[in-house]
Amino acid sequence: MFTIITVKQLKRAAAILLCALVLLCGGNLLVGRVRATAGEEKSFIKWVDFNVPYEALDKALKLDVASHGTDAPLNWVELLAYLAAKNGGEFKRFKASQLDAVAKELQEGKTIEELTEKLKYYSYYREAYGAVLDGLVGEYEIEVADETAEGGKKWVRKYGLKGFSPIAKNYPYSDFDDFGTSRDYGFKRKHLGHDFMGATGTPIIAVEGGTVEALGWNQYGGWRIGIRSHDKKRYYYYAHLRQNFPFNKSLEVGSVVQPGDVIGYLGHTGYSTKENVNNIKQPHLHFGLQLIFDESQKEGNNEIWVDVYPLVRLLYRNRCEVVKDQETKEYSRVYGYRECTAEGTA
C-alpha cells in the first residue's frame, strides 16, 4: 500500500526539517561554547612537594628577622624559593652558608629579580612556598607581662614568627615525621598529616588566624575543626578531638580566630560512622595543612597536603600560654594578640 503525499505536506515537512537543522546547529554551537569554556584549563599549581628542612627554615627566618627595619630587608620565603630554584628543589646538601651568600648579594644591592631572572622555576617555588609560609611571619602586637602596667600586662609591637604551635605551652607531647605512613581504616591510604601524641584534654591552639570552615564529626577524623587562613591559601585541619567536649564552645562555622586562640581539646575520637565515639587507640592530635590554589582543590582527588614536620619544629618556639576557667572548664590564652595592618592593628 502506498501513501500519497501532497505538495503541501512536503513543504510542511521541509519547513520542519529546516527548523530542526537550525535548532540542532544552534544547539551544537551553544554546546561548543560551553565546552570550550568548561574545557579551558585554569593556570594554577597542582602539586607541591614541600621538603624544606627545619635547618633551612630556621636560618631563613633568622636572616629575615635580623634584616627587618634595615635598608635591605630580606624575605625568608624569597630566600628559600631562590635556593630551591637554584638546586632543583633539592635540600639534601643544604648548608646555612648558601643562604648567607644570597643574603649578602641582596644586602649589597642586588634585587631578587636580578638574582632569579635566569632561574626558570623561581616563580613556581615562590608561589608554592609562599602558600605554606606567607602568613607565619610579620608584624603583630602581643601582650607581655609587666608589673608596672595596669593589669600587669602591656601591649608590645613585634616582628617575627607569629604562627603558634598547635599544642599549648607547658603541655608535653611526642611526635615524629609520620607523613605518608600507611592507614587502613575504611581503605588503604597515606597519612596526610602529623600526629602529636599527648594527654586527653590538652588545649589545641590555632596556628594562624582565619575563619572556621568545618566544625563537627567526620568518621575518619572524629570531632574535627577546619580553619582557612585569611588569604585563603591554607586550610588547617585539627582532628580526633576530645569526646563530649571537643571544641571551644564559642566556635561555630564562620567564626574568626586569632593565632594562638584555644580552639579545642586533644582526644581520640574517630574511625566510626557514629558520632562521639573513641575508636582511636592512643590520644593524639592529627594536624594537617592543605594548600589551595584554586577552589576546585578544596575537596576531592586534587587536594594538596604537605609534610608539616619541619614547620611544627619551627613553631615549637612559639607556644601559647593558656589558663583554665574553673567554672566553665574552658581554656583561653593568657596574653592577647592583635594583627597588624598597614593602617595599624586589626
Side-chain angles (χ1 to χ4, degrees):
M1 179 179 292
F2 296 95
T3 301
I4 298 175
I5 301 175
T6 65
V7 173
K8 184 176 181 180
Q9 289 173 320
L10 284 173
K11 288 181 177 180
R12 184 180 178 187
I16 292 172
L17 179 61
L18 181 60
C19 288
L21 286 171
V22 170
L23 288 172
L24 181 61
C25 290
N28 281 339
L29 288 173
L30 180 60
V31 170
R33 285 195 293 271
V34 171
R35 285 176 179 170
T37 302
E40 289 177 359
E41 189 168 344
K42 297 180 183 177
S43 178
F44 58 86
I45 292 176
K46 299 175 177 64
W47 180 250
V48 175
D49 183 16
F50 186 71
N51 61 348
V52 182
Y54 164 79
E55 292 76 14
L57 292 171
D58 176 60
K59 179 63 178 180
L61 176 61
K62 288 176 178 175
L63 289 169
D64 184 316
V65 173
S67 68
H68 179 68
T70 69
D71 293 334
L74 303 171
N75 181 294
W76 74 317
V77 182
E78 291 178 355
L79 295 175
L80 294 169
Y82 169 85
L83 212 57
K86 189 173 182 180
N87 299 324
E90 181 57 66
F91 282 88
K92 289 182 179 179
R93 298 181 180 178
F94 168 75
K95 294 181 180 179
S97 59
Q98 295 171 324
L99 286 173
D100 283 328
V102 64
K104 183 179 179 181
E105 288 192 79
L106 290 168
Q107 290 173 324
E108 288 178 347
K110 286 284 186 71
T111 65
I112 193 67
E113 290 76 19
E114 290 173 330
L115 291 181
T116 61
E117 61 180 349
K118 294 183 180 180
L119 295 178
K120 184 177 180 180
Y121 296 109
Y122 171 77
S123 60
Y124 161 78
Y125 284 111
R126 178 60 184 87
E127 184 177 359
Y129 288 5
V132 181
L133 303 171
D134 272 340
L136 299 177
V137 170
E139 289 190 337
Y140 60 96
E141 286 192 354
I142 195 164
E143 283 185 312
V144 298
D146 185 349
E147 294 180 358
T148 65
E150 184 178 351
K153 302 176 186 177
K154 68 176 182 180
W155 286 96
V156 175
R157 192 179 184 94
K158 293 187 175 185
Y159 177 89
L161 185 65
K162 59 182 184 177
F164 284 85
S165 168
I167 304 295
K169 187 177 182 179
N170 300 320
Y171 286 83
Y173 68 84
S174 62
D175 67 337
F176 64 96
D177 191 356
D178 56 345
F179 187 84
T181 57
S182 178
R183 292 291 185 272
D184 56 12
Y185 170 76
F187 61 96
K188 289 283 186 181
R189 65 196 187 283
K190 290 183 178 180
H191 185 227
L192 299 178
H194 181 75
D195 288 344
F196 295 85
M197 308 301 174
T200 298
T202 293
I204 302 304
I205 303 300
V207 168
E208 186 182 348
T211 303
V212 176
E213 287 193 347
L215 185 78
W217 183 263
N218 176 286
Q219 68 167 314
Y220 300 100
W223 293 122
R224 89 290 189 235
I225 299 177
I227 298 176
R228 188 82 167 267
S229 62
H230 294 305
D231 65 5
K232 303 292 186 182
K233 294 291 182 67
R234 290 166 296 287
Y235 179 75
Y236 294 97
Y237 183 70
Y238 309 80
H240 306 313
L241 302 181
R242 185 170 63 182
Q243 187 182 50
N244 299 323
F245 196 169
F247 315 121
N248 184 306
K249 293 179 181 178
S250 68
L251 294 182
E252 59 186 21
V253 173
S255 295
V256 176
V257 301
Q258 294 274 28
D261 282 354
V262 177
I263 57 173
Y265 305 97
L266 187 148
H268 53 114
T269 58
Y271 284 16
S272 173
T273 55
K274 183 179 179 181
E275 289 189 0
N276 205 33
V277 173
N278 283 332
N279 272 350
I280 305 293
K281 292 182 180 179
Q282 184 172 2
H284 70 277
L285 169 70
H286 170 99
F287 172 65
L289 175 57
Q290 181 188 4
L291 305 184
I292 302 172
F293 300 94
D294 183 83
E295 288 304 309
S296 65
Q297 297 173 312
K298 182 63 168 59
E299 295 181 0
N301 297 325
N302 298 318
E303 295 176 357
I304 302 174
W305 296 89
V306 296
D307 186 352
V308 294
Y309 181 63
L311 188 58
V312 299
R313 288 184 61 193
L314 191 76
L315 293 173
Y316 181 84
R317 67 189 65 181
N318 206 17
R319 302 182 71 186
C320 189
E321 187 174 351
V322 300
V323 62
K324 184 178 182 179
D325 185 319
Q326 295 299 331
E327 183 176 340
T328 65
K329 308 304 180 184
E330 195 82 82
Y331 285 79
S332 61
R333 63 191 311 154
V334 173
Y335 299 107
Y337 173 96
R338 296 193 297 225
E339 293 276 9
C340 289
T341 64
E343 294 74 28
T345 53

